[in-house]
Amino acid sequence: MSIEMIKQHYPVVIVGGGQAGLSMSYRLQKKNIDHLVLEKNQLMNSWKTQRWDSFTLVTPNWQCDLPDHPYDGDDPKGFMNREQTIGYLQRFAEKVNAPVMEGVEVQQVQKNDQGGYQVTTSKGEFSCDQLVVASGGYHQPIIPRMAERLPETVVQIHSNQYKNAGQLPEGGVLVVGSGQSGAQIAEDLHLEGKKVFLAVGNAPRVARQYRGKDVVEWLDEMGYYRTSVDQHPLREGVRDNTNHYVTGRDGGREIDLRKFALEGMELFGTLDNFDGQNITFKADLNENLEFADSVYNNINTRVDNYITENNIEAPDGYQYEPVWQPETEREQLDLAASGITSIIWCIGFRPDFTWLDAPVFNGKGAPVHQRGITQAAGIYFIGLPWLHTWGSGRFSGIAEDSLYLSEAIESALANADQSVCA
């Protein structure tokens, strides 16, 4: 946006220029609601800068359904790779053509005397009547303080910095965390011939294909993705769940850490500490592997029940049987003797909303909201995991969420105008 076009006050300011922020912009434009999008870096920044080279989506392409921008390729049951995903998002950005200022960091938002919000940024002051926080929930990479005590000779990076095996020095790699990123990065390094040591957490896993369909297709047919957070058995607790590990690589397949162990990857339990010589682990490897397998089998059983209840013809089902078991729980590893020269931290991110001075957070610092609408008049969130449904933090639920919030914003602005005229 050119300097000449910038105003100091907008009915709506959107913080964040990812798919969530642009979806909101698209909806507001359809309603002729004037607004400004503020993006700290560049549009779709995390997709362009924080994905590894072999990255693929883990959900089928047909689930990519941004507002009026469904998947536009020729492989709906496939999984877009990094470049294809960026291309899909870039086409969406061009379609939206949002009124955006890139390279602008929002430093503080607080209530002003006019009943709206003062937005202090690295490029000056703005004000607005309504504020949409679309910056996601993955802001600060988590690296434990024990990392400070590791030898300087060991290269340490976070998963958002990983690109490929070639950026790491010769020697073994310790991957800490077995969620989606950790499991896929460990696989990538393993396939590239690296000696991989994996600290396995309590992340669940899921089959890729089961009884003739992708499991995502079964779950969609079963209505799981339409379940709202207030209908889920865990209620808001589901927002804290770790994502199931699986991959869309090479057309899509499941990830079995036990199989990797058979092929030479060394598995340990949850990382615990570093005593100056040894990395120590909790004795929970077997427990974590069994938990992941139990979730895998439980989902398959739910699919079995659905098939039976609806008299659907499908190939026979099965229950996963472990292909490898740890002989013992190894609770320590000599760092130097193991040959580990690099560590990749794959244990997630912390949200950082310290810039937002508003009473909308709980004791953990997470936003409190109902479908993205907070108790603070005029403040909304979008793009968070399970904002409303499973798809809220993904490409499949943003369209519904952005429509709902745009209607709430339209109503709030209309009510404000009526009160002024009264």
Side-chain angles (χ1 to χ4, degrees):
M1 178 181 291
S2 68
I3 298 296
E4 294 77 15
M5 297 174 62
I6 297 172
K7 298 179 293 186
Q8 297 309 120
H9 179 82
Y10 290 85
V12 182
V13 165
I14 300 170
V15 181
Q19 67 266 19
L22 292 191
S23 294
M24 278 306 308
S25 177
Y26 182 79
R27 296 299 193 192
L28 295 179
Q29 288 183 61
K30 288 291 185 180
K31 294 180 177 297
N32 294 315
I33 296 175
D34 191 20
H35 63 282
L36 176 67
V37 179
L38 299 175
E39 166 53 45
K40 181 178 179 180
N41 297 294
Q42 57 178 325
L43 293 180
M44 307 297 181
N45 180 69
S46 64
W47 290 99
K48 296 175 181 177
T49 64
Q50 298 180 16
R51 299 294 188 275
W52 54 93
D53 293 349
S54 65
F55 171 89
T56 66
L57 297 180
V58 298
T59 51
N61 294 333
W62 58 263
Q63 277 206 324
C64 297
D65 193 20
L66 297 174
D68 293 335
H69 188 65
Y71 171 68
D72 51 3
D74 58 4
D75 187 16
K77 293 190 176 183
F79 306 87
M80 287 191 287
N81 61 29
R82 177 180 176 275
E83 293 304 318
Q84 290 169 333
T85 305
I86 292 172
Y88 168 74
L89 293 171
Q90 187 61 41
R91 291 190 293 278
F92 179 59
E94 292 169 358
K95 178 184 294 185
V96 175
N97 191 25
V100 60
M101 288 182 66
E102 296 179 287
V104 178
E105 179 182 6
V106 175
Q107 300 168 330
Q108 186 179 41
V109 172
Q110 56 187 340
K111 195 82 173 175
N112 61 25
D113 294 337
Q114 290 72 47
Y117 294 93
Q118 193 68 23
V119 183
T120 302
T121 80
S122 58
K123 296 292 179 67
E125 297 283 334
F126 298 91
S127 62
C128 62
D129 303 311
Q130 311 273 302
L131 181 87
V132 181
V133 182
S135 57
Y138 307 115
H139 304 130
Q140 296 180 336
I142 297 175
I143 297 178
R145 292 297 301 268
M146 64 154 282
E148 299 167 11
R149 294 187 283 110
L150 292 163
E152 293 183 1
T153 53
V154 177
V155 173
Q156 300 184 58
I157 62 173
H158 191 269
S159 59
N160 69 342
Q161 298 169 298
Y162 176 72
K163 299 302 178 186
N164 55 61
Q167 78 186 102
L168 303 177
E170 292 295 322
V173 186
L174 172 62
V175 177
V176 181
S178 58
Q180 280 189 4
S181 294
Q184 291 176 64
I185 288 173
E187 180 192 45
D188 188 55
L189 293 166
H190 180 64
L191 294 175
E192 289 297 317
K194 279 284 193 181
K195 175 62 177 177
V196 178
F197 302 80
L198 178 63
V200 179
N202 63 350
R205 75 185 188 100
V206 65
R208 180 79 275 172
Q209 291 282 330
Y210 184 65
R211 303 196 68 174
K213 289 184 182 180
D214 192 294
V215 169
V216 170
E217 192 172 346
W218 281 121
L219 292 174
D220 180 68
E221 192 174 317
M222 293 160 61
Y224 178 73
Y225 300 126
R226 294 186 296 279
T227 302
S228 64
V229 67
D230 56 355
Q231 296 170 330
H232 196 281
L234 296 177
R235 297 297 191 272
E236 293 183 5
V238 71
R239 292 172 177 157
D240 298 324
N241 277 5
T242 303
N243 291 325
H244 302 68
Y245 58 83
V246 68
T247 183
R249 188 166 178 165
D250 299 329
R253 58 170 177 263
E254 64 188 54
I255 292 179
D256 186 350
L257 302 184
R258 297 181 191 269
K259 180 174 178 291
F260 291 160
L262 287 176
E263 297 169 351
M265 186 183 295
E266 295 196 33
L267 307 185
F268 296 81
T270 307
L271 184 140
D272 184 44
N273 209 341
F274 177 64
D275 64 13
Q277 176 180 349
N278 300 297
I279 298 176
T280 60
F281 304 86
K282 295 179 181 178
D284 59 5
L285 172 60
N286 191 56
E287 176 186 341
N288 291 340
L289 291 174
E290 288 186 349
F291 170 73
D293 292 341
S294 70
V295 174
Y296 178 106
N297 283 328
N298 177 266
I299 293 173
N300 286 357
T301 297
R302 288 162 58 191
V303 173
D304 292 338
N305 293 339
Y306 175 78
I307 289 171
T308 300
E309 292 166 2
N310 292 275
N311 298 314
I312 298 171
E313 290 189 13
D316 291 340
Y318 62 86
Q319 289 285 287
Y320 174 80
E321 295 292 338
V323 298
W324 175 86
Q325 294 278 12
E327 294 181 4
T328 59
E329 289 280 356
R330 295 185 293 168
E331 296 182 55
Q332 65 178 34
L333 179 67
D334 187 304
L335 182 61
S338 68
I340 291 174
T341 58
S342 54
I343 296 177
I344 304 178
W345 300 101
C346 303
I347 50 179
F349 299 79
R350 293 187 185 91
D352 180 12
F353 297 111
T354 53
W355 51 270
L356 179 55
D357 184 7
V360 297
F361 302 103
N362 63 19
K364 296 181 180 179
V368 177
H369 60 85
Q370 181 67 33
R371 292 195 68 173
I373 300 175
T374 73
Q375 292 185 340
I379 294 183
Y380 311 84
F381 284 82
I382 190 171
L384 298 177
W386 281 95
L387 184 92
H388 178 52
T389 63
W390 176 88
S392 290
R394 299 169 171 84
F395 294 161
S396 59
I398 290 291
E400 180 183 9
D401 291 346
S402 60
L403 178 60
Y404 181 82
L405 290 181
S406 68
E407 291 175 345
I409 289 170
E410 182 180 42
S411 176
L413 291 172
N415 290 337
D417 288 342
Q418 290 175 5
S419 64
V420 170
C421 296

